[in-house]
Amino acid sequence: MKKKFVVIFVALLLLFVVPAFLSASKGGEQPKEGITIGFSLWTMEFTFFQNLEKGVRDACEEFGYEYIMIDQNSDPQKMVQDINSLIGQKVDGIVITPVDPGAIGPVVQSARDAGIPVTCADIGKTGPVNALLISNNYHGGELAMEYIAKMMKGKSNNSKKVGVGRVQPQWTYARGRGEGFMAKAKELGYEVASEIVVNPPSAEGGYDTMQQIMSAAPDVVGVFFASGREAVGAANAVKAAGKDIIVVGYNGDPEELQAIEDGVLAATVAQQPWFIGYESVRVMKEILEKGKEYEDAEVPVKVELLTPDNYKKWAAEAEKRRGAPAY
Amino acid sequence: MGRLNSRGERTGMKEKFASRWDSYGLPLLFIVLLIVFSILAPAFRTSFNLISNFRFTSFIGIGAIGMAFCIMNGDFDISVGSMLSLVAVLGSSLIPVLGGVAGVLITLLAASFLGFVNGVFVTKLRIPAFITTLGMMFIYRALAFIYTNNTPVYISDKFWLFIGNGKVLGIPFAIILMLLCYVGAFVLLRKTPFGRYVIAVGTNREAALLSGINVDRTKIIVFMLVGLFIGIASVVISANLGSANPGMLGQGYEFQVITAVVLGGTVLGGGDGNLWGAFFAAMIITFLKNGLGMKQVGSYWQLVAIGLVLIFAVAMNRIKYMLLGTKEV
């Protein structure tokens, strides 16, 4: 009995210590010369963020920077601790894709007090950072509405009602998608008959929200879901209900491209996560190497409408750049 | 401590080992951790990093105090994460009206009140603590969403921010606050009749009742203590983040504090416990995550490591009892 316990004890000890040592051999111990970029990322769970991370990593490789990435695990407390630890490691620049943009204020301040420039890759920020690289969300929403209006031309159904599945209000910048969509709807003479925050932000949440929209406004002709998986959920709800409603998504996630291929989703507004990641390091390079001033600058990144006509070409280009299939 | 084994002269040594593990096991584990990561990662041993980690320990460290009382008392509270979020948004939203000091006081009062509600449900309605607090977990979180309309509250009040980010004589105030909380809780647990009641109720509810202890009142006060410490933790955490976000704050917090308490040597089911154990456990969890993060160990592997340390510590307790020749606690 006792021996068994000793064995278990030693095994556990080994299991715990070994990963630490294994990773030690991976490097990170090199004497510090050159420039080190620390990257704190929301999560690696979604393709969008994997592509964004690839963009940051590719840029660091291209510019010859040392690269440290810490995953926030979708936890704002961990995010703050991680960024603090990057400050402690005296990195030269910090790139953040924050899970909770409202919660980076104090820690970004202490980074900048320590003379470390900060750029945000996507999502948003509070308080001053050097630069925020983010998709032109408002324009993306406008594109979605324009597409719905275009598709409705010449159709016998002349209802002018549309619906919106909005993103969580704390995603301040992503809210612009819904706002752009609604402004465009008004401009084109459409009425936003139902507008619901998708909760939880998932495919199931999208499905659920779409059902609510269909009961609240049975005669909507088109809906815009301001995030990828949610839009796929919504499109499936429309399909299950056997209705003819145009569903447009946002992101350009693999699930969405698949849904376009399957004819379930009408279109999506694609963001360019790889490019956002790459640009956030390029801006950092300008700050660090050329001494260029960036103070609380917002750098919009282009979005693109993907329809059954052009999504394949877009996906192929994305694949070439990222080295990973877009879907 | 435990029974003597009557088989031979080595018993004394085993006894010694067992009691030493009780007092020094976790501090020792913590020191080993410090040494290992100091060797592996030069940035780990900088005073900036060590002090930061000490400060971040207060995130779970303070919340773990109330939970330790609750578990020693034979109960559980899994509503603490939602509670933390609700009282943080409530207190911080009142800053513009009442000011920072009143905001903090209201946060603490509201948290104690929510604890009181939990306690009343558990004692007077006889709903098991697990069920009550599971229900409350949903309710408190939902109320936080409803109250704020799912929009974060930004905090700019100096007093509030000071609690999480300020320094006194160069020492982060959150560290001082955490240590004060632990000393206060230790005195309450070990030097007052109430502390003995908590242990007595946790050990054997019926016996406690027969010996004249007001079991219900003890339990309600324990749940209020859980609330109070969650209130303190919520101010520290939201100050650190500079905002109170109804959806993000305290997600999974209940499991972090329960992990700290259990890793600290407090036995589920109640009876006895170890406050300083919870403190060192919170330190171990925080420093371990930081060290592994610095070595670029993926965050999922970090969770694996914490799980293993937890199981390791509990296994050590088993070994202790085995050496003592007793089967269970």
Side-chain angles (χ1 to χ4, degrees), chain A residues 5 9 29 68-69 71 73 80 84 88 100 102-103 126 168-170, chain B residues 40 48 52 56 59 150 154 241 243 245 288 290 295-297 299 312 322:
Chain A
F5 272 109
F9 168 72
E29 285 287 310
I68 302 171
M69 195 278 274
D71 187 335
N73 255 1
V80 168
N84 205 72
D100 181 1
T126 35
Q168 303 279 317
Q170 73 258 28
Chain B
L40 289 178
F48 175 88
S52 296
F56 290 135
F59 285 12
N150 198 359
Y154 294 102
L241 304 179
S243 69
N245 186 322
L288 179 66
N290 173 255
K295 292 312 301 172
Q296 290 280 287
V297 176
S299 51
F312 165 73
M322 204 179 59

PDB file of all heavy atoms in Angstrom, chain A residues 5 9 29 68-69 71 73 80 84 88 100 102-103 126 168-170, chain B residues 40 48 52 56 59 150 154 241 243 245 288 290 295-297 299 312 322:
ATOM      1  N   PHE A   5       1.498   4.424  -2.810  1.00  0.00           N
ATOM      2  CA  PHE A   5       1.343   5.859  -2.600  1.00  0.00           C
ATOM      3  C   PHE A   5       2.601   6.623  -2.992  1.00  0.00           C
ATOM      4  O   PHE A   5       2.534   7.691  -3.579  1.00  0.00           O
ATOM      5  CB  PHE A   5       0.987   6.156  -1.139  1.00  0.00           C
ATOM      6  CG  PHE A   5      -0.481   6.118  -0.891  1.00  0.00           C
ATOM      7  CD1 PHE A   5      -1.056   5.102  -0.165  1.00  0.00           C
ATOM      8  CD2 PHE A   5      -1.303   7.110  -1.424  1.00  0.00           C
ATOM      9  CE1 PHE A   5      -2.417   5.056   0.046  1.00  0.00           C
ATOM     10  CE2 PHE A   5      -2.663   7.085  -1.216  1.00  0.00           C
ATOM     11  CZ  PHE A   5      -3.225   6.049  -0.484  1.00  0.00           C
ATOM     12  N   PHE A   9       2.856   9.432  -5.719  1.00  0.00           N
ATOM     13  CA  PHE A   9       3.409  10.722  -5.310  1.00  0.00           C
ATOM     14  C   PHE A   9       4.500  11.169  -6.287  1.00  0.00           C
ATOM     15  O   PHE A   9       4.486  12.280  -6.806  1.00  0.00           O
ATOM     16  CB  PHE A   9       3.963  10.564  -3.887  1.00  0.00           C
ATOM     17  CG  PHE A   9       4.809  11.709  -3.440  1.00  0.00           C
ATOM     18  CD1 PHE A   9       4.228  12.932  -3.141  1.00  0.00           C
ATOM     19  CD2 PHE A   9       6.177  11.567  -3.294  1.00  0.00           C
ATOM     20  CE1 PHE A   9       5.000  13.988  -2.712  1.00  0.00           C
ATOM     21  CE2 PHE A   9       6.954  12.618  -2.868  1.00  0.00           C
ATOM     22  CZ  PHE A   9       6.374  13.828  -2.575  1.00  0.00           C
ATOM     23  N   GLU A  29      15.300  31.605 -23.074  1.00  0.00           N
ATOM     24  CA  GLU A  29      16.389  31.857 -22.146  1.00  0.00           C
ATOM     25  C   GLU A  29      17.522  32.644 -22.802  1.00  0.00           C
ATOM     26  O   GLU A  29      18.501  32.990 -22.150  1.00  0.00           O
ATOM     27  CB  GLU A  29      16.952  30.522 -21.626  1.00  0.00           C
ATOM     28  CG  GLU A  29      16.066  29.844 -20.595  1.00  0.00           C
ATOM     29  CD  GLU A  29      16.091  30.546 -19.245  1.00  0.00           C
ATOM     30  OE1 GLU A  29      17.192  30.821 -18.741  1.00  0.00           O
ATOM     31  OE2 GLU A  29      15.008  30.850 -18.718  1.00  0.00           O
ATOM     32  N   ILE A  68       6.693  36.774 -27.514  1.00  0.00           N
ATOM     33  CA  ILE A  68       6.140  36.065 -26.348  1.00  0.00           C
ATOM     34  C   ILE A  68       4.628  36.194 -26.391  1.00  0.00           C
ATOM     35  O   ILE A  68       4.099  37.300 -26.435  1.00  0.00           O
ATOM     36  CB  ILE A  68       6.619  36.691 -25.017  1.00  0.00           C
ATOM     37  CG1 ILE A  68       8.144  36.690 -24.917  1.00  0.00           C
ATOM     38  CG2 ILE A  68       6.011  35.961 -23.836  1.00  0.00           C
ATOM     39  CD1 ILE A  68       8.665  37.481 -23.725  1.00  0.00           C
ATOM     40  N   MET A  69       3.925  35.045 -26.395  1.00  0.00           N
ATOM     41  CA  MET A  69       2.466  35.115 -26.427  1.00  0.00           C
ATOM     42  C   MET A  69       1.904  34.525 -25.140  1.00  0.00           C
ATOM     43  O   MET A  69       2.355  33.481 -24.687  1.00  0.00           O
ATOM     44  CB  MET A  69       1.946  34.325 -27.629  1.00  0.00           C
ATOM     45  CG  MET A  69       0.489  34.615 -27.972  1.00  0.00           C
ATOM     46  SD  MET A  69      -0.719  33.725 -27.001  1.00  0.00           S
ATOM     47  CE  MET A  69      -0.810  32.195 -27.944  1.00  0.00           C
ATOM     48  N   ASP A  71      -1.885  33.539 -23.471  1.00  0.00           N
ATOM     49  CA  ASP A  71      -3.312  33.376 -23.722  1.00  0.00           C
ATOM     50  C   ASP A  71      -4.087  33.812 -22.473  1.00  0.00           C
ATOM     51  O   ASP A  71      -3.818  33.337 -21.382  1.00  0.00           O
ATOM     52  CB  ASP A  71      -3.551  31.886 -24.028  1.00  0.00           C
ATOM     53  CG  ASP A  71      -4.965  31.594 -24.476  1.00  0.00           C
ATOM     54  OD1 ASP A  71      -5.881  32.357 -24.126  1.00  0.00           O
ATOM     55  OD2 ASP A  71      -5.151  30.590 -25.177  1.00  0.00           O
ATOM     56  N   ASN A  73      -7.080  33.135 -21.814  1.00  0.00           N
ATOM     57  CA  ASN A  73      -8.089  32.135 -21.441  1.00  0.00           C
ATOM     58  C   ASN A  73      -9.446  32.775 -21.188  1.00  0.00           C
ATOM     59  O   ASN A  73     -10.178  32.340 -20.298  1.00  0.00           O
ATOM     60  CB  ASN A  73      -7.665  31.440 -20.152  1.00  0.00           C
ATOM     61  CG  ASN A  73      -7.154  30.061 -20.418  1.00  0.00           C
ATOM     62  OD1 ASN A  73      -7.106  29.638 -21.570  1.00  0.00           O
ATOM     63  ND2 ASN A  73      -6.753  29.365 -19.377  1.00  0.00           N
ATOM     64  N   VAL A  80      -5.006  40.888 -16.992  1.00  0.00           N
ATOM     65  CA  VAL A  80      -4.275  41.933 -16.278  1.00  0.00           C
ATOM     66  C   VAL A  80      -2.970  41.372 -15.701  1.00  0.00           C
ATOM     67  O   VAL A  80      -1.915  41.992 -15.782  1.00  0.00           O
ATOM     68  CB  VAL A  80      -5.171  42.533 -15.170  1.00  0.00           C
ATOM     69  CG1 VAL A  80      -4.361  43.401 -14.230  1.00  0.00           C
ATOM     70  CG2 VAL A  80      -6.281  43.346 -15.793  1.00  0.00           C
ATOM     71  N   ASN A  84       0.807  42.467 -16.861  1.00  0.00           N
ATOM     72  CA  ASN A  84       1.717  42.885 -15.810  1.00  0.00           C
ATOM     73  C   ASN A  84       3.015  42.077 -15.854  1.00  0.00           C
ATOM     74  O   ASN A  84       4.113  42.621 -15.670  1.00  0.00           O
ATOM     75  CB  ASN A  84       1.018  42.682 -14.467  1.00  0.00           C
ATOM     76  CG  ASN A  84       1.567  43.582 -13.411  1.00  0.00           C
ATOM     77  OD1 ASN A  84       1.333  44.778 -13.444  1.00  0.00           O
ATOM     78  ND2 ASN A  84       2.333  43.033 -12.511  1.00  0.00           N
ATOM     79  N   GLY A  88       6.912  43.131 -16.382  1.00  0.00           N
ATOM     80  CA  GLY A  88       8.007  42.649 -15.536  1.00  0.00           C
ATOM     81  C   GLY A  88       9.140  42.046 -16.340  1.00  0.00           C
ATOM     82  O   GLY A  88      10.297  42.088 -15.942  1.00  0.00           O
ATOM     83  N   ASP A 100     -11.700  41.738 -22.297  1.00  0.00           N
ATOM     84  CA  ASP A 100     -12.566  42.769 -21.738  1.00  0.00           C
ATOM     85  C   ASP A 100     -11.867  44.104 -21.913  1.00  0.00           C
ATOM     86  O   ASP A 100     -11.044  44.497 -21.095  1.00  0.00           O
ATOM     87  CB  ASP A 100     -12.829  42.472 -20.256  1.00  0.00           C
ATOM     88  CG  ASP A 100     -13.744  43.516 -19.632  1.00  0.00           C
ATOM     89  OD1 ASP A 100     -14.177  44.437 -20.356  1.00  0.00           O
ATOM     90  OD2 ASP A 100     -14.031  43.405 -18.428  1.00  0.00           O
ATOM     91  N   GLY A 102     -12.749  46.936 -21.393  1.00  0.00           N
ATOM     92  CA  GLY A 102     -12.977  47.870 -20.292  1.00  0.00           C
ATOM     93  C   GLY A 102     -11.970  47.701 -19.173  1.00  0.00           C
ATOM     94  O   GLY A 102     -11.821  48.562 -18.320  1.00  0.00           O
ATOM     95  N   ALA A 103     -11.271  46.555 -19.154  1.00  0.00           N
ATOM     96  CA  ALA A 103     -10.445  46.235 -17.990  1.00  0.00           C
ATOM     97  C   ALA A 103      -8.954  46.430 -18.224  1.00  0.00           C
ATOM     98  O   ALA A 103      -8.142  45.996 -17.420  1.00  0.00           O
ATOM     99  CB  ALA A 103     -10.723  44.790 -17.551  1.00  0.00           C
ATOM    100  N   THR A 126      -9.817  50.902 -23.314  1.00  0.00           N
ATOM    101  CA  THR A 126     -10.237  52.048 -22.500  1.00  0.00           C
ATOM    102  C   THR A 126      -8.976  52.812 -22.172  1.00  0.00           C
ATOM    103  O   THR A 126      -7.926  52.219 -22.003  1.00  0.00           O
ATOM    104  CB  THR A 126     -10.862  51.634 -21.153  1.00  0.00           C
ATOM    105  OG1 THR A 126     -10.199  50.488 -20.687  1.00  0.00           O
ATOM    106  CG2 THR A 126     -12.335  51.431 -21.267  1.00  0.00           C
ATOM    107  N   GLN A 168     -22.839  41.708 -27.851  1.00  0.00           N
ATOM    108  CA  GLN A 168     -22.850  42.137 -26.455  1.00  0.00           C
ATOM    109  C   GLN A 168     -22.467  43.619 -26.365  1.00  0.00           C
ATOM    110  O   GLN A 168     -21.495  44.029 -26.980  1.00  0.00           O
ATOM    111  CB  GLN A 168     -21.811  41.320 -25.672  1.00  0.00           C
ATOM    112  CG  GLN A 168     -22.018  39.825 -25.755  1.00  0.00           C
ATOM    113  CD  GLN A 168     -23.068  39.344 -24.793  1.00  0.00           C
ATOM    114  OE1 GLN A 168     -23.109  39.767 -23.651  1.00  0.00           O
ATOM    115  NE2 GLN A 168     -23.932  38.467 -25.252  1.00  0.00           N
ATOM    116  N   PRO A 169     -23.234  44.384 -25.591  1.00  0.00           N
ATOM    117  CA  PRO A 169     -22.967  45.826 -25.558  1.00  0.00           C
ATOM    118  C   PRO A 169     -21.569  46.179 -25.039  1.00  0.00           C
ATOM    119  O   PRO A 169     -21.058  47.248 -25.348  1.00  0.00           O
ATOM    120  CB  PRO A 169     -24.043  46.384 -24.636  1.00  0.00           C
ATOM    121  CG  PRO A 169     -24.798  45.252 -24.120  1.00  0.00           C
ATOM    122  CD  PRO A 169     -24.403  44.009 -24.801  1.00  0.00           C
ATOM    123  N   GLN A 170     -20.943  45.278 -24.261  1.00  0.00           N
ATOM    124  CA  GLN A 170     -19.628  45.669 -23.749  1.00  0.00           C
ATOM    125  C   GLN A 170     -18.554  45.636 -24.837  1.00  0.00           C
ATOM    126  O   GLN A 170     -17.462  46.145 -24.646  1.00  0.00           O
ATOM    127  CB  GLN A 170     -19.202  44.805 -22.544  1.00  0.00           C
ATOM    128  CG  GLN A 170     -18.797  43.404 -22.859  1.00  0.00           C
ATOM    129  CD  GLN A 170     -19.909  42.421 -22.527  1.00  0.00           C
ATOM    130  OE1 GLN A 170     -21.080  42.776 -22.568  1.00  0.00           O
ATOM    131  NE2 GLN A 170     -19.568  41.198 -22.195  1.00  0.00           N
TER     132      GLN A 170
ATOM    133  N   LEU B  40      14.573  28.931 -13.540  1.00  0.00           N
ATOM    134  CA  LEU B  40      14.134  28.777 -14.932  1.00  0.00           C
ATOM    135  C   LEU B  40      13.927  30.110 -15.646  1.00  0.00           C
ATOM    136  O   LEU B  40      14.222  30.236 -16.824  1.00  0.00           O
ATOM    137  CB  LEU B  40      12.817  27.982 -14.975  1.00  0.00           C
ATOM    138  CG  LEU B  40      12.910  26.501 -14.631  1.00  0.00           C
ATOM    139  CD1 LEU B  40      11.529  25.877 -14.681  1.00  0.00           C
ATOM    140  CD2 LEU B  40      13.855  25.792 -15.571  1.00  0.00           C
ATOM    141  N   PHE B  48       9.816  43.332  -8.962  1.00  0.00           N
ATOM    142  CA  PHE B  48       8.578  43.796  -9.599  1.00  0.00           C
ATOM    143  C   PHE B  48       7.608  42.637  -9.772  1.00  0.00           C
ATOM    144  O   PHE B  48       6.433  42.715  -9.408  1.00  0.00           O
ATOM    145  CB  PHE B  48       8.890  44.423 -10.958  1.00  0.00           C
ATOM    146  CG  PHE B  48       7.663  44.832 -11.740  1.00  0.00           C
ATOM    147  CD1 PHE B  48       7.102  46.087 -11.575  1.00  0.00           C
ATOM    148  CD2 PHE B  48       7.061  43.946 -12.637  1.00  0.00           C
ATOM    149  CE1 PHE B  48       5.971  46.469 -12.284  1.00  0.00           C
ATOM    150  CE2 PHE B  48       5.934  44.308 -13.344  1.00  0.00           C
ATOM    151  CZ  PHE B  48       5.395  45.576 -13.169  1.00  0.00           C
ATOM    152  N   SER B  52       4.208  41.956  -7.677  1.00  0.00           N
ATOM    153  CA  SER B  52       2.958  41.925  -8.457  1.00  0.00           C
ATOM    154  C   SER B  52       2.169  40.658  -8.165  1.00  0.00           C
ATOM    155  O   SER B  52       0.960  40.696  -7.952  1.00  0.00           O
ATOM    156  CB  SER B  52       3.254  41.937  -9.948  1.00  0.00           C
ATOM    157  OG  SER B  52       3.871  43.122 -10.308  1.00  0.00           O
ATOM    158  N   PHE B  56      -1.500  40.100  -6.743  1.00  0.00           N
ATOM    159  CA  PHE B  56      -2.568  39.373  -7.446  1.00  0.00           C
ATOM    160  C   PHE B  56      -3.100  38.217  -6.607  1.00  0.00           C
ATOM    161  O   PHE B  56      -4.211  37.749  -6.828  1.00  0.00           O
ATOM    162  CB  PHE B  56      -2.061  38.865  -8.790  1.00  0.00           C
ATOM    163  CG  PHE B  56      -1.821  39.968  -9.786  1.00  0.00           C
ATOM    164  CD1 PHE B  56      -0.668  39.999 -10.559  1.00  0.00           C
ATOM    165  CD2 PHE B  56      -2.748  40.986  -9.944  1.00  0.00           C
ATOM    166  CE1 PHE B  56      -0.448  41.018 -11.471  1.00  0.00           C
ATOM    167  CE2 PHE B  56      -2.536  42.009 -10.852  1.00  0.00           C
ATOM    168  CZ  PHE B  56      -1.384  42.029 -11.621  1.00  0.00           C
ATOM    169  N   PHE B  59      -6.517  38.543  -5.113  1.00  0.00           N
ATOM    170  CA  PHE B  59      -7.737  38.264  -5.894  1.00  0.00           C
ATOM    171  C   PHE B  59      -8.472  37.052  -5.341  1.00  0.00           C
ATOM    172  O   PHE B  59      -9.649  37.108  -5.049  1.00  0.00           O
ATOM    173  CB  PHE B  59      -7.397  37.995  -7.370  1.00  0.00           C
ATOM    174  CG  PHE B  59      -7.039  39.215  -8.173  1.00  0.00           C
ATOM    175  CD1 PHE B  59      -6.793  40.428  -7.573  1.00  0.00           C
ATOM    176  CD2 PHE B  59      -6.955  39.127  -9.554  1.00  0.00           C
ATOM    177  CE1 PHE B  59      -6.462  41.551  -8.319  1.00  0.00           C
ATOM    178  CE2 PHE B  59      -6.631  40.239 -10.316  1.00  0.00           C
ATOM    179  CZ  PHE B  59      -6.378  41.447  -9.700  1.00  0.00           C
ATOM    180  N   ASN B 150     -26.259  45.171 -19.032  1.00  0.00           N
ATOM    181  CA  ASN B 150     -25.102  44.505 -19.634  1.00  0.00           C
ATOM    182  C   ASN B 150     -24.044  45.474 -20.169  1.00  0.00           C
ATOM    183  O   ASN B 150     -23.439  45.244 -21.203  1.00  0.00           O
ATOM    184  CB  ASN B 150     -25.559  43.552 -20.756  1.00  0.00           C
ATOM    185  CG  ASN B 150     -24.480  42.542 -21.098  1.00  0.00           C
ATOM    186  OD1 ASN B 150     -23.407  42.564 -20.512  1.00  0.00           O
ATOM    187  ND2 ASN B 150     -24.764  41.657 -22.031  1.00  0.00           N
ATOM    188  N   TYR B 154     -17.401  51.907 -15.568  1.00  0.00           N
ATOM    189  CA  TYR B 154     -15.998  52.313 -15.484  1.00  0.00           C
ATOM    190  C   TYR B 154     -15.753  53.030 -14.172  1.00  0.00           C
ATOM    191  O   TYR B 154     -16.582  53.817 -13.708  1.00  0.00           O
ATOM    192  CB  TYR B 154     -15.626  53.188 -16.683  1.00  0.00           C
ATOM    193  CG  TYR B 154     -15.683  52.405 -17.961  1.00  0.00           C
ATOM    194  CD1 TYR B 154     -16.753  52.535 -18.833  1.00  0.00           C
ATOM    195  CD2 TYR B 154     -14.688  51.479 -18.256  1.00  0.00           C
ATOM    196  CE1 TYR B 154     -16.828  51.774 -19.986  1.00  0.00           C
ATOM    197  CE2 TYR B 154     -14.752  50.717 -19.402  1.00  0.00           C
ATOM    198  CZ  TYR B 154     -15.827  50.864 -20.266  1.00  0.00           C
ATOM    199  OH  TYR B 154     -15.896  50.103 -21.390  1.00  0.00           O
ATOM    200  N   LEU B 241      -8.962  46.165 -12.414  1.00  0.00           N
ATOM    201  CA  LEU B 241      -9.376  46.145 -13.811  1.00  0.00           C
ATOM    202  C   LEU B 241      -9.833  47.530 -14.265  1.00  0.00           C
ATOM    203  O   LEU B 241      -9.974  47.775 -15.458  1.00  0.00           O
ATOM    204  CB  LEU B 241     -10.521  45.151 -14.016  1.00  0.00           C
ATOM    205  CG  LEU B 241     -10.267  43.706 -13.586  1.00  0.00           C
ATOM    206  CD1 LEU B 241     -11.504  42.870 -13.823  1.00  0.00           C
ATOM    207  CD2 LEU B 241      -9.086  43.114 -14.312  1.00  0.00           C
ATOM    208  N   SER B 243     -12.669  48.659 -13.996  1.00  0.00           N
ATOM    209  CA  SER B 243     -14.075  48.626 -14.395  1.00  0.00           C
ATOM    210  C   SER B 243     -14.762  47.429 -13.758  1.00  0.00           C
ATOM    211  O   SER B 243     -14.105  46.501 -13.300  1.00  0.00           O
ATOM    212  CB  SER B 243     -14.194  48.523 -15.919  1.00  0.00           C
ATOM    213  OG  SER B 243     -13.762  47.259 -16.349  1.00  0.00           O
ATOM    214  N   ASN B 245     -17.458  44.719 -14.865  1.00  0.00           N
ATOM    215  CA  ASN B 245     -18.176  44.189 -16.016  1.00  0.00           C
ATOM    216  C   ASN B 245     -19.104  43.066 -15.553  1.00  0.00           C
ATOM    217  O   ASN B 245     -18.636  42.042 -15.058  1.00  0.00           O
ATOM    218  CB  ASN B 245     -17.152  43.669 -17.028  1.00  0.00           C
ATOM    219  CG  ASN B 245     -17.793  43.240 -18.317  1.00  0.00           C
ATOM    220  OD1 ASN B 245     -18.870  42.665 -18.317  1.00  0.00           O
ATOM    221  ND2 ASN B 245     -17.141  43.530 -19.417  1.00  0.00           N
ATOM    222  N   LEU B 288       2.396  29.984  -9.473  1.00  0.00           N
ATOM    223  CA  LEU B 288       2.569  28.879 -10.422  1.00  0.00           C
ATOM    224  C   LEU B 288       2.113  29.290 -11.817  1.00  0.00           C
ATOM    225  O   LEU B 288       2.808  29.079 -12.812  1.00  0.00           O
ATOM    226  CB  LEU B 288       1.761  27.668  -9.934  1.00  0.00           C
ATOM    227  CG  LEU B 288       1.794  26.408 -10.793  1.00  0.00           C
ATOM    228  CD1 LEU B 288       3.196  25.828 -10.805  1.00  0.00           C
ATOM    229  CD2 LEU B 288       0.821  25.368 -10.262  1.00  0.00           C
ATOM    230  N   ASN B 290       1.882  32.297 -13.002  1.00  0.00           N
ATOM    231  CA  ASN B 290       2.789  33.321 -13.516  1.00  0.00           C
ATOM    232  C   ASN B 290       4.082  32.687 -14.048  1.00  0.00           C
ATOM    233  O   ASN B 290       4.532  32.991 -15.149  1.00  0.00           O
ATOM    234  CB  ASN B 290       3.092  34.318 -12.401  1.00  0.00           C
ATOM    235  CG  ASN B 290       4.154  35.317 -12.803  1.00  0.00           C
ATOM    236  OD1 ASN B 290       5.284  35.218 -12.351  1.00  0.00           O
ATOM    237  ND2 ASN B 290       3.812  36.253 -13.660  1.00  0.00           N
ATOM    238  N   LYS B 295       7.344  30.858 -18.762  1.00  0.00           N
ATOM    239  CA  LYS B 295       8.061  29.836 -19.528  1.00  0.00           C
ATOM    240  C   LYS B 295       7.300  29.452 -20.787  1.00  0.00           C
ATOM    241  O   LYS B 295       7.575  28.431 -21.399  1.00  0.00           O
ATOM    242  CB  LYS B 295       8.303  28.583 -18.668  1.00  0.00           C
ATOM    243  CG  LYS B 295       9.262  28.755 -17.513  1.00  0.00           C
ATOM    244  CD  LYS B 295      10.573  29.447 -17.891  1.00  0.00           C
ATOM    245  CE  LYS B 295      11.342  28.698 -18.962  1.00  0.00           C
ATOM    246  NZ  LYS B 295      12.497  29.483 -19.431  1.00  0.00           N
ATOM    247  N   GLN B 296       6.298  30.262 -21.139  1.00  0.00           N
ATOM    248  CA  GLN B 296       5.531  30.035 -22.367  1.00  0.00           C
ATOM    249  C   GLN B 296       4.822  28.695 -22.370  1.00  0.00           C
ATOM    250  O   GLN B 296       4.641  28.068 -23.409  1.00  0.00           O
ATOM    251  CB  GLN B 296       6.437  30.153 -23.594  1.00  0.00           C
ATOM    252  CG  GLN B 296       6.911  31.574 -23.863  1.00  0.00           C
ATOM    253  CD  GLN B 296       5.843  32.396 -24.565  1.00  0.00           C
ATOM    254  OE1 GLN B 296       5.567  32.213 -25.736  1.00  0.00           O
ATOM    255  NE2 GLN B 296       5.220  33.289 -23.827  1.00  0.00           N
ATOM    256  N   VAL B 297       4.446  28.228 -21.175  1.00  0.00           N
ATOM    257  CA  VAL B 297       3.637  27.014 -21.097  1.00  0.00           C
ATOM    258  C   VAL B 297       2.199  27.436 -21.397  1.00  0.00           C
ATOM    259  O   VAL B 297       1.706  28.406 -20.822  1.00  0.00           O
ATOM    260  CB  VAL B 297       3.720  26.390 -19.691  1.00  0.00           C
ATOM    261  CG1 VAL B 297       2.799  25.188 -19.580  1.00  0.00           C
ATOM    262  CG2 VAL B 297       5.142  25.984 -19.381  1.00  0.00           C
ATOM    263  N   SER B 299      -1.776  28.058 -21.682  1.00  0.00           N
ATOM    264  CA  SER B 299      -2.622  28.295 -20.515  1.00  0.00           C
ATOM    265  C   SER B 299      -3.434  27.064 -20.135  1.00  0.00           C
ATOM    266  O   SER B 299      -3.840  26.920 -18.997  1.00  0.00           O
ATOM    267  CB  SER B 299      -3.521  29.486 -20.749  1.00  0.00           C
ATOM    268  OG  SER B 299      -4.187  29.339 -21.971  1.00  0.00           O
ATOM    269  N   PHE B 312      -2.043  16.429  -5.738  1.00  0.00           N
ATOM    270  CA  PHE B 312      -0.824  16.115  -4.997  1.00  0.00           C
ATOM    271  C   PHE B 312      -0.985  16.467  -3.517  1.00  0.00           C
ATOM    272  O   PHE B 312      -0.664  15.670  -2.631  1.00  0.00           O
ATOM    273  CB  PHE B 312       0.350  16.893  -5.617  1.00  0.00           C
ATOM    274  CG  PHE B 312       1.572  16.946  -4.758  1.00  0.00           C
ATOM    275  CD1 PHE B 312       2.376  15.825  -4.595  1.00  0.00           C
ATOM    276  CD2 PHE B 312       1.929  18.119  -4.114  1.00  0.00           C
ATOM    277  CE1 PHE B 312       3.506  15.886  -3.808  1.00  0.00           C
ATOM    278  CE2 PHE B 312       3.053  18.190  -3.317  1.00  0.00           C
ATOM    279  CZ  PHE B 312       3.847  17.074  -3.162  1.00  0.00           C
ATOM    280  N   MET B 322      -2.271   7.879   6.605  1.00  0.00           N
ATOM    281  CA  MET B 322      -1.813   6.507   6.530  1.00  0.00           C
ATOM    282  C   MET B 322      -0.662   6.300   7.501  1.00  0.00           C
ATOM    283  O   MET B 322      -0.600   5.313   8.228  1.00  0.00           O
ATOM    284  CB  MET B 322      -1.376   6.234   5.093  1.00  0.00           C
ATOM    285  CG  MET B 322      -1.428   4.799   4.705  1.00  0.00           C
ATOM    286  SD  MET B 322      -0.916   4.707   2.987  1.00  0.00           S
ATOM    287  CE  MET B 322       0.705   5.419   3.102  1.00  0.00           C
TER     288      MET B 322
END
